[in-house]
Amino acid sequence: MSKTHLSGDDIEDDSRDQDRLLPIANVARIMKKSLPESAKISKDAKEVVQGCVSEFITFITSEAGQRCQQENRKTVNGDDILFAMKSLGFENYAIVLQEYLNKYRDVSRPR
């Protein structure tokens, strides 16, 4: 279908897709931090990464949500996310995120 002949349904679908994506400016900022200052990032590269990270978040969150559902809980927490990452084969990331979660909890704890 040509982009010049969008129906109301196509526009609504595109709007829903945009709702589930991280803002492209945030994605670009994260990407730039990983590259030399002189590097440039094309628009299509930003859009591909935007789609990938959004899909990854959905994938992990869905797995964590299933755990909550099995345990009759309504709130997904950090431990659920870590559990999901480990069960989906992302152990290396889960180790780093566990350290971050521990630090976050230390800082957030009332004194």
Side-chain angles (χ1 to χ4, degrees):
M1 175 179 276
S2 170
K3 288 289 184 182
T4 57
H5 298 13
L6 293 176
S7 71
D9 290 341
D10 292 331
I11 293 170
E12 190 174 306
D13 288 345
D14 189 46
S15 176
R16 269 189 246 133
D17 284 347
Q18 290 300 315
D19 287 345
R20 71 169 196 82
L21 296 174
L22 289 174
I24 198 136
N26 295 359
V27 172
R29 188 169 35 257
I30 293 167
M31 291 174 73
K32 286 178 185 178
K33 287 181 180 180
S34 301
L35 296 170
E37 275 189 46
S38 60
K40 298 195 183 308
I41 305 168
S42 69
K43 181 179 178 185
D44 66 324
K46 292 175 194 175
E47 289 174 352
V48 167
V49 172
Q50 179 188 37
C52 289
V53 298
S54 298
E55 189 64 33
F56 180 76
I57 290 168
T58 301
F59 182 53
I60 298 295
T61 305
S62 175
E63 184 75 12
Q66 286 178 10
R67 180 183 187 202
C68 289
Q69 189 174 23
Q70 290 169 350
E71 296 177 2
N72 295 319
R73 293 185 292 116
K74 293 182 180 180
T75 304
V76 174
N77 62 40
D79 293 319
D80 297 320
I81 298 296
L82 292 170
F83 175 85
M85 293 185 82
K86 290 174 188 172
S87 40
L88 293 169
F90 297 103
E91 296 88 359
N92 292 343
Y93 296 104
I95 292 167
V96 174
L97 290 175
Q98 180 68 61
E99 291 174 15
Y100 176 82
L101 182 59
N102 292 341
K103 289 178 184 178
Y104 172 80
R105 287 175 174 163
D106 285 345
V107 171
S108 299
R109 193 169 304 155
R111 307 235 178 239

